[in-house]
């Protein structure tokens, strides 16, 4: 397991959040587990009221999750411009986008028949956690290739302002799609 700390983009600070950590690990089946942990005061972030108790929710595909609090993983093969973006909402909704190059959506890589991710969300007085599980089939399968990961989150404050957090910010404005921010390798998690 690898534990990393996300940092807010300088253009979108959020003082209500004390820390944001993510633990990543490989499953025995080759899948990827990501546990996102936000430490903040209860009520600091806008979250659906129905999410106050821990529960497993059926995952449902949805678009534009990044407009609100949303945890994100970016996965690509080193040396290949193509990558996948996974979005996980505290509501249990999720999205998968395929890109052939920087921000160039590839319709042949979208809505592919992949198992839905498992998403579990819990909140409390000192913050919240979102656990996301991706099946091995959701990850690029290229024998011997180095898989690169970007980890990010969009946080929506109670007042509606958005803050962007990632392992690394590579531009003057928040942009999780830049390959310079894919700083982890899947092999680092073994």
């Amino acid at each position: 397991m690898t534990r990393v700390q996300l940092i807010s983009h300088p253009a979108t600070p959020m003082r209500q959040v004390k820390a944001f950590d993510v633990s990543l690990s490989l499953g025995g089946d080759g899948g990827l587990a990501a546990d996102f942990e936000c430490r903040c005061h209860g009520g600091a972030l806008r979250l659906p009221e129905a999410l106050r108790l821990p529960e497993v929710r059926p995952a449902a595909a949805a678009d534009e999750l990044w407009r609100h609090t949303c945890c994100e993983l970016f996965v690509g093969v080193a040396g290949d411009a193509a990558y996948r973006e996974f979005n996980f909402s505290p509501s249990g909704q999720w999205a998968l986008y395929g890109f052939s190059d920087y921000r160039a959506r590839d319709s042949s890589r979208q809505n592919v028949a992949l198992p839905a991710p498992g998403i579990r969300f819990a909140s409390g007085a000192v913050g919240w956690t979102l656990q996301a599980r991706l099946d091995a089939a959701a990850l690029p399968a290229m024998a011997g290739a180095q898989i690169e990961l970007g980890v990010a989150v969009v946080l929506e404050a109670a007042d509606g302002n958005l803050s962007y957090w990632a392992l690394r910010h590579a531009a003057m404005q928040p942009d999780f799609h830049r390959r310079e921010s894919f700083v982890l390798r899947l092999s680092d998690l073994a």
Side-chain angles (χ1 to χ4, degrees):
M1 179 186 322
T2 299
R3 188 171 177 90
V4 295
Q5 186 169 46
L6 302 186
I7 55 173
S8 67
H9 190 280
T12 64
M14 184 175 279
R15 284 182 242 123
Q16 304 95 311
V17 176
K18 295 180 181 180
F20 204 109
D21 297 322
V22 181
S23 297
L24 299 151
S25 61
L26 289 174
D29 63 351
L32 179 62
D35 295 347
F36 297 84
E37 180 184 352
C38 180
R39 288 191 296 281
C40 62
H41 295 294
L45 300 178
R46 187 177 288 176
L47 297 170
E49 191 63 36
L51 300 176
R52 298 293 176 216
L53 298 174
E55 58 184 87
V56 176
R57 296 179 172 277
D63 200 15
E64 297 189 353
L65 298 175
W66 47 267
R67 293 188 181 275
H68 304 283
T69 296
C70 174
C71 299
E72 303 186 359
L73 291 174
F74 293 81
V75 182
V77 174
D80 185 354
Y83 61 97
R84 294 177 183 171
E85 175 185 355
F86 299 92
N87 296 172
F88 313 104
S89 169
S91 69
Q93 294 177 308
W94 61 276
L96 160 63
Y97 303 101
F99 296 87
S100 59
D101 204 339
Y102 173 74
R103 290 190 175 273
R105 282 201 188 171
D106 183 346
S107 60
S108 70
R109 298 173 193 254
Q110 289 180 220
N111 300 321
V112 292
L114 295 176
I119 300 171
R120 182 177 172 88
F121 180 83
S123 65
V126 294
W128 54 266
T129 59
L130 183 144
Q131 298 172 324
R133 303 291 179 266
L134 290 174
D135 189 273
L139 303 174
M142 298 184 87
Q146 282 287 347
I147 306 296
E148 299 175 325
L149 302 170
V151 183
V153 66
V154 176
L155 298 175
E156 183 177 17
D159 65 6
N161 286 320
L162 297 177
S163 183
Y164 301 88
W165 295 62
L167 284 173
R168 179 172 183 230
H169 296 283
M172 296 295 289
Q173 294 299 316
D175 187 352
F176 302 146
H177 291 256
R178 296 180 62 98
R179 286 303 282 261
E180 302 98 293
S181 65
F182 294 25
V183 296
L184 288 178
R185 292 186 179 249
L186 202 60
S187 58
D188 295 340
L189 309 183

